[in-house]
Amino acid sequence: MQDISKILITFVQFFLQYVWVANFFFIIVIIMIEKKNPLYSIFWIFLLTLFPYIGFFIYLFFGLTFKKKRVANKIYKIKKLKSRKDVSKSDNKELKRWKGLITYLEMSTDNHISSNNDIQFYFNGEDFFSELKKEIANAKNFINMEYYIFRFDKIGKEIADLLIRKAKEGVEVNLIIDGVNLANYRLKSYFKNTGVNLHLFFRTYIPIFNIRLNYRNHRKVTIIDNRVAFVGGMNIGDEYLGKGKIGYWRDTSVKIFGDIVSSFEKEFYFSLSIVKNEFLKDEKISNEISLKYEEDDGTYMQVISSGPNYEFPAIRDNYIKLIQEARKSVFIQTPYFVPDDLLLDTLKSAVLSGIDVKIMIPNKADHPFIYWVNQYYVGELLRLGANIYRYENGFIHSKTILVDEEVVSVGTCNFDYRSFYLNFEINLNIYDKKVANSFKTQYYKDIAISKKLTFADFKKRSIFTKVKESVFRLLSPIM
């Protein structure tokens, strides 16, 4: 025991004496190799210099990017779309306005627009889980699921048991869950020898000490028989049924049918390729009868994927392009509103151009500090005349943007640095006025149970509140 204590003391003394050498090395890496955005570079250099001991560990777990480049980049390079010169679908009269956006998303993510689709939407957990369980029960060939959190609580166990039952019936079941969330780990033993193929994304053996801690799979997708797919903000857990500490959980997910499901299937196998460290091609074909719409009768949709290894932050760019193209209105719902400078400036420009910009955030937060960071950034827009709402009927986790009652983008991506640059995310753009109108109707229902902020009230904040906002804003690049 004495020998172990001596070794530990020696290690601590060594670390305290030479941490500045490691920090100097990190600074060289930041400047010469990683070539981060100058804002991030200054943030990390400031942290490593002024707070060397704390900064060392924060950068090691939240800033270092070597692992992402080795593990995921080679898969992305295989997947990446080569130059393509035209996007025929976007010549449709309903889509001409969005042709630039559609083309950019095809070129950057290799996901094409399709019209042979249909959609259903769910604005609460009860409806979502009821439909999800029904579709899983009807699976005939395979079930592919990819979730940030899959809790082993009441709803989690119900779905886990359903997956085991389908696996025993001969259905191929693949489940990818994030490898850092401790909530996911009870599933490992539960699924053992059941036929369910469980994969941990960027798994960690010691949760606290994981250099890839920063790069999480934040996607929430289920694909069944290449016939139907679910995507949105809802993970698998009782909190989405309003049974957590926060109370009622207002979220948005969609169920889609048609050709667009193949894009989700392709993205699932991209994630599975990263997990297995080899490129896997989706070659599954559904035995189900696919939808048959005449041209213009179906719903135009396009999948947008992003991750820390992608060449472009495609979902962030999607939001920017949508806001830039707005002529009348931009309606946003997000639990975390931490935009980068370009996105914030784009929103400011929209407000000053007379666009009706509405942003809805929670009145209570599910993570420490995020309330104050949200407060700081919405204050910047409130000052210019944006309409800011705090949702008061529990917690709003919905991640949507609605533009001009024409286009909706819904999925897993928040309006924050982490979702734009660090997490693996997936969204769906829906170019359809009827769908957009349904989302608008729901937005106004949410407004009815929200509190509208006024700039007069905002200015009355205490000095202590303003200090908290300013201090926590400095942590934006890692929140």
Side-chain angles (χ1 to χ4, degrees):
M1 193 70 180
Q2 261 186 334
D3 291 340
I4 295 175
S5 299
K6 286 180 181 179
I7 292 171
L8 187 60
I9 292 170
T10 302
F11 174 79
V12 171
Q13 289 174 337
F14 180 83
F15 172 76
L16 293 176
Q17 287 176 355
Y18 295 103
V19 68
W20 63 270
V21 176
N23 286 359
F24 179 74
F25 170 75
F26 284 158
I27 290 170
I28 297 298
V29 168
I30 291 168
I31 297 172
M32 303 300 297
I33 299 176
E34 292 188 347
K35 298 179 181 178
K36 295 176 183 286
N37 180 300
L39 176 66
Y40 305 154
S41 297
I42 292 171
F43 169 80
W44 287 117
I45 292 170
F46 173 85
L47 193 66
L48 290 166
T49 304
L50 295 188
F51 306 97
Y53 302 112
I54 297 174
F56 172 84
F57 287 106
I58 293 177
Y59 182 74
L60 183 65
F61 301 130
F62 292 99
L64 203 58
T65 60
F66 287 160
K67 290 288 185 180
K68 74 168 189 185
K69 293 186 180 296
R70 286 210 308 264
V71 176
N73 244 20
K74 66 179 181 180
I75 304 298
Y76 173 72
K77 286 176 181 177
I78 296 172
K79 170 184 178 287
K80 188 178 182 298
L81 177 68
K82 300 207 176 200
S83 178
R84 194 173 260 130
K85 292 187 177 177
D86 72 342
V87 185
S88 58
K89 289 282 187 185
S90 62
D91 288 330
N92 179 283
K93 62 181 181 180
E94 295 293 324
L95 299 178
K96 279 189 176 179
R97 177 182 170 191
W98 309 103
K99 183 170 184 176
L101 172 62
I102 292 166
T103 303
Y104 168 77
L105 295 177
E106 290 211 354
M107 297 293 287
S108 60
T109 71
D110 193 19
N111 286 315
H112 309 286
I113 191 165
S114 65
S115 60
N116 189 37
N117 307 298
D118 204 353
I119 186 170
Q120 295 176 9
F121 13 89
Y122 309 98
F123 300 116
N124 61 71
E126 290 84 355
D127 293 342
F128 168 72
F129 287 121
S130 174
E131 199 65 21
L132 179 65
K133 288 189 291 184
K134 184 181 84 173
E135 291 292 353
I136 291 173
N138 289 335
K140 297 177 181 177
N141 300 307
F142 61 91
I143 300 166
N144 290 330
M145 302 181 76
E146 183 175 7
Y147 282 87
Y148 179 57
I149 295 174
F150 195 126
R151 296 195 188 279
F152 196 72
D153 50 19
K154 186 176 183 298
I155 189 63
K157 189 173 183 303
E158 285 179 16
I159 293 175
D161 288 342
L162 191 53
L163 293 176
I164 291 171
R165 192 183 91 197
K166 297 308 291 186
K168 289 179 178 177
E169 291 175 6
V171 174
E172 180 183 334
V173 180
N174 296 301
L175 172 60
I176 300 173
I177 53 177
D178 191 70
V180 164
N181 279 290
L182 296 179
N184 296 334
Y185 273 72
R186 286 190 65 186
L187 291 172
K188 283 182 63 181
S189 57
Y190 198 71
F191 281 137
K192 191 174 181 180
N193 300 322
T194 63
V196 174
N197 302 308
L198 177 64
H199 307 277
L200 296 178
F201 191 93
F202 281 177
R203 66 179 301 172
T204 176
Y205 296 96
I206 307 176
I208 299 174
F209 298 101
N210 186 355
I211 294 177
R212 291 182 294 193
L213 186 68
N214 221 20
Y215 308 110
R216 308 315 330 146
N217 187 336
H218 196 242
R219 298 178 180 183
K220 306 154 185 72
V221 179
T222 296
I223 309 134
I224 298 169
D225 293 341
N226 206 12
R227 174 185 61 84
V228 60
F230 293 84
V231 67
M234 291 187 230
N235 289 291
I236 308 298
D238 285 347
E239 63 262 43
Y240 297 88
L241 293 165
K243 297 177 181 178
K245 295 178 180 178
I246 274 181
Y248 180 74
W249 197 288
R250 167 66 185 89
D251 215 328
T252 302
S253 286
V254 297
K255 179 174 79 168
I256 50 178
F257 307 89
D259 295 344
I260 197 68
V261 175
S262 294
S263 293
F264 282 102
E265 191 75 4
K266 182 187 66 173
E267 290 297 337
F268 177 85
Y269 277 90
F270 169 59
S271 296
L272 193 58
S273 296
I274 293 174
V275 171
K276 293 191 171 185
N277 201 15
E278 61 177 306
F279 183 68
L280 303 172
K281 187 177 180 181
D282 168 31
E283 296 179 344
K284 295 189 185 318
I285 299 174
S286 171
N287 292 325
E288 300 289 337
I289 298 173
S290 60
L291 302 176
K292 296 296 180 185
Y293 285 111
E294 296 295 327
E295 190 72 20
D296 302 338
D297 285 345
T299 303
Y300 282 97
M301 300 180 190
Q302 187 174 23
V303 170
I304 314 124
S305 56
S306 69
N309 56 310
Y310 280 52
E311 187 173 355
F312 303 100
I315 298 182
R316 186 213 66 158
D317 293 349
N318 174 58
Y319 290 163
I320 289 173
K321 186 68 173 176
L322 285 170
I323 296 165
Q324 288 174 336
E325 291 291 331
R327 296 171 184 166
K328 296 184 297 182
S329 60
V330 175
F331 293 3
I332 295 168
Q333 286 181 327
T334 180
Y336 316 126
F337 186 72
V338 191
D340 63 9
D341 289 345
L342 182 55
L343 185 52
L344 183 63
D345 287 344
T346 303
L347 283 165
K348 287 180 178 179
S349 178
V351 174
L352 293 174
S353 299
I355 305 298
D356 179 15
V357 175
K358 298 184 189 301
I359 300 172
M360 189 176 295
I361 57 175
N363 188 44
K364 56 179 78 172
D366 66 335
H367 286 295
F369 314 138
I370 195 65
Y371 177 91
W372 306 109
V373 181
N374 279 350
Q375 181 98 341
Y376 174 85
Y377 283 104
V378 297
E380 289 281 289
L381 294 166
L382 189 63
R383 179 175 59 86
L384 300 179
N387 298 294
I388 309 297
Y389 302 89
R390 283 208 199 108
Y391 184 80
E392 297 199 313
N393 185 35
F395 178 66
I396 190 159
H397 193 250
S398 178
K399 310 154 196 305
T400 63
I401 176 170
L402 166 64
V403 174
D404 286 354
E405 302 169 30
E406 289 187 17
V407 181
V408 176
S409 188
V410 58
T412 70
C413 187
N414 296 307
F415 278 70
D416 63 6
Y417 286 81
R418 180 161 294 280
S419 285
F420 295 148
Y421 300 108
L422 301 176
N423 289 339
F424 291 85
E425 304 278 3
I426 194 163
N427 266 39
L428 177 69
N429 274 12
I430 308 156
Y431 305 89
D432 187 278
K433 291 180 180 179
K434 288 182 181 178
V435 172
N437 189 59
S438 296
F439 275 79
K440 176 187 174 185
T441 299
Q442 180 62 43
Y443 199 96
Y444 276 100
K445 287 181 180 178
D446 293 332
I447 284 177
I449 46 180
S450 300
K451 178 182 179 181
K452 185 175 182 180
L453 303 185
T454 67
F455 188 59
D457 289 337
F458 188 75
K459 287 195 297 184
K460 295 177 183 177
R461 310 184 323 284
S462 68
I463 294 294
F464 183 57
T465 296
K466 293 177 182 178
V467 169
K468 283 192 287 187
E469 292 170 6
S470 297
V471 170
F472 293 138
R473 179 182 65 90
L474 298 176
L475 301 176
S476 295
I478 60 171
M479 294 189 76

